[in-house]
Amino acid sequence: MDTAPVSAPVATSPPQSHRKVATAAALASAVEWYDYFVFGIAAALVLGDLYFPAGSSSAGVLAAFATFAVGFLARPLGGVVAGHLGDKRGRKPMLVLALTLMGLATTGIGLLPTYETIGIAAPVLLVLLRVAQGVAVGAQWGGAMLLATEYAPEGKRGVYGSFVQLGVPIGVVSANTMFLVVGAATSDSAFAAWGWRVPFLVGLFVLGLAWYIHRHVEETPEFRAAERELAEKEKGEKSSPLRTILRGHLGTVFLAGGSFAVNTATFYILITGVLDYTTRELDMKRSAVLAVSLCVSLTQLVLIPAAAALSDRVGRIRIYAFGAAGIALWAVPLFLLIDTGSLLWLAVGTFVASCFLSIMYGPQAALFAELFTPEMRYTGASLGYQIAAVLGGGLAPFLMVLLLEATGTSMAVSAYIIGLSVIALVSIKILAGRASSRAED
């Protein structure tokens, strides 16, 4: 069978509180995503001119967004390596390693000289540091998600998984706030010269959180139980979580990725593609667009856990599918509103889109965790998530610029979102059918 049976949380109480572990996992997710998102904002605002000088502003932005996409291409590598080791050696060590790598890479970007100073070495090093960020976030999500969901009380896996999902809007809010504060405190020339570096240097604080988790957070009870079972199996034969996934559950991995690509694509279109489009093409003010993005992201802090809690009551698939359908239906109105050039309609359009994204994102951690048994869960869930990141998020801002340049209309971007929504709904339907078959068995 291609899918694994849903496993119930371990009933015994862990030696440390559920909330302490969930808080640590949420903080890990928040700081990791903050570091990841500051690159996307900087790519839309300054990195093209500083590291990829070209004859046109569009070419510079395309190069910067291509570098942004490179981080997504590296995420499956982080997911595979950390997933394999996380299923064999533990969730916590991989999370600590991911946080450390992200902190070092982000700080390195903040200190990196520009093309004008060191020539071609500047964009090369920028790409390498972005790859390191991609590996780190690919490794991080599975570890943080499993710390939260595998410590969750019975019947609350969705809610506890959503604590990690909150790291995304918290990261967006924090990154936008940092750029707004630095932009307000500096002139345009000072911002371009050095101000943009300040949000990256905050990455140093990630190292402190990595140390705290290493010293004060214990391994999850579900992994400890799976570790004992894995040790028994290894006595008779060599086992590998990655090999198990590739041989028997690869279809589930791709269905999970297909179900979520529209969420990641739409999300990155909203926080990076729209920022570039509104400031470069519609002549809207950078600070105003950032403020709208910040306010919309704040609403996700309520919507994500609410959707997750509802999924604990009525089922993951139902809530998840509703969000995907909503994204498809809103894709055209979204850009019709943005094209007005009005901040009010920009806020309305992105807010409604954000609601549907939150409805999908809330139950997603628990849904992906429940697709796989504990001994291969880190590998399977991480691969599904990172495949979605590559197919959706990594290429979305880049493709958005290409589509706008090629067609001259934002409706091409709407069509792209609708196409991914159809893939999501088909994938969800197949996953739901398999879940029903397992229940009947």
Side-chain angles (χ1 to χ4, degrees):
M1 183 179 291
D2 192 47
T3 55
V6 174
S7 60
V10 173
T12 57
S13 297
Q16 55 187 290
S17 73
H18 303 298
R19 291 182 181 179
K20 175 184 175 181
V21 177
T23 300
L27 285 174
S29 177
V31 297
E32 189 97 348
W33 285 116
Y34 166 85
D35 283 3
Y36 200 68
F37 290 146
V38 291
F39 191 100
I41 296 173
L45 298 178
V46 296
L47 294 186
D49 293 334
L50 295 176
Y51 290 92
F52 304 96
S56 71
S57 60
S58 295
V61 170
L62 279 171
F65 278 163
T67 306
F68 178 69
V70 164
F72 286 83
L73 295 176
R75 281 171 61 169
L77 175 61
V80 167
V81 174
H84 177 75
L85 294 176
D87 281 329
K88 292 180 72 71
R89 307 301 177 201
R91 304 0 181 162
K92 187 182 80 169
M94 293 303 101
L95 179 57
V96 170
L97 182 62
L99 288 169
T100 302
L101 179 60
M102 178 63 85
L104 294 175
T106 304
T107 304
I109 294 171
L111 298 174
L112 185 65
T114 64
Y115 185 94
E116 184 178 2
T117 304
I118 61 173
I120 193 65
V124 171
L125 290 172
L126 183 66
V127 169
L128 291 176
L129 289 168
R130 181 59 179 169
V131 167
Q133 279 194 320
V135 171
V137 82
Q140 172 273 144
W141 181 79
M145 180 270 289
L146 292 179
L147 273 183
T149 58
E150 291 186 348
Y151 263 106
E154 187 173 355
K156 293 187 177 181
R157 179 171 271 169
V159 171
Y160 274 70
S162 74
F163 293 163
V164 174
Q165 308 296 71
L166 287 176
V168 170
I170 291 173
V172 173
V173 168
S174 301
N176 278 319
T177 299
M178 282 297 300
F179 274 100
L180 281 170
V181 170
V182 172
T186 60
S187 64
D188 289 343
S189 59
F191 180 84
W194 60 267
W196 67 271
R197 298 180 182 274
V198 175
F200 286 92
L201 298 178
V202 176
L204 285 169
F205 291 104
V206 179
L207 301 177
L209 180 61
W211 177 85
Y212 175 85
I213 292 175
H214 173 68
R215 292 294 301 271
H216 298 287
V217 175
E218 298 177 11
E219 193 53 79
T220 72
E222 285 197 36
F223 172 76
R224 290 197 297 268
E227 186 178 33
R228 290 191 292 270
E229 294 178 10
L230 190 61
E232 290 297 324
K233 289 181 181 179
E234 287 182 336
K235 291 178 181 179
E237 59 177 293
K238 288 186 177 180
S239 66
S240 162
L242 180 58
R243 188 182 298 116
T244 301
I245 288 291
L246 294 178
R247 286 181 175 177
H249 306 279
L250 195 56
T252 302
V253 169
F254 280 109
L255 286 170
S259 76
F260 197 62
V262 65
N263 191 287
T264 56
T266 307
F267 175 78
Y268 284 103
I269 284 172
L270 291 181
I271 69 166
T272 57
V274 168
L275 176 60
D276 167 65
Y277 177 60
T278 54
T279 56
R280 185 166 57 88
E281 299 289 344
L282 302 181
D283 294 322
M284 299 176 73
K285 290 185 177 180
R286 177 187 67 201
S287 59
V289 176
L290 283 171
V292 168
S293 179
L294 187 153
C295 292
V296 168
S297 296
L298 284 172
T299 65
Q300 292 185 305
L301 298 177
V302 176
L303 294 171
I304 287 174
L310 188 59
S311 79
D312 282 331
R313 297 173 61 88
V314 304
R316 318 271 183 234
I317 291 289
R318 187 176 300 176
I319 303 301
Y320 195 64
F322 180 81
I327 293 172
L329 293 173
W330 191 246
V332 170
L334 168 64
F335 277 95
L336 290 176
L337 293 174
I338 291 173
D339 284 344
T340 65
S342 162
L343 274 178
L344 174 61
W345 292 121
L346 170 67
V348 171
T350 54
F351 168 71
V352 175
S354 178
C355 288
F356 290 122
L357 292 178
S358 299
I359 290 169
M360 275 194 82
Y361 201 55
Q364 183 255 344
L367 175 64
F368 278 30
E370 290 168 351
L371 291 174
F372 307 95
T373 52
E375 67 274 9
M376 59 178 171
R377 183 173 289 157
Y378 201 141
T379 303
S382 292
L383 271 177
Y385 189 95
Q386 303 315 331
I387 286 172
V390 172
L391 297 178
L395 295 174
F398 181 82
L399 288 176
M400 178 175 174
V401 175
L402 283 182
L403 288 170
L404 290 170
E405 290 289 316
T407 66
T409 173
S410 61
M411 290 299 100
V413 184
S414 297
Y416 169 56
I417 293 173
I418 292 170
L420 289 176
S421 298
V422 172
I423 294 172
L425 290 168
V426 171
S427 299
I428 293 168
K429 183 175 179 58
I430 296 172
L431 286 172
R434 292 182 174 183
S436 298
S437 298
R438 290 199 306 269
E440 291 173 1
D441 293 342

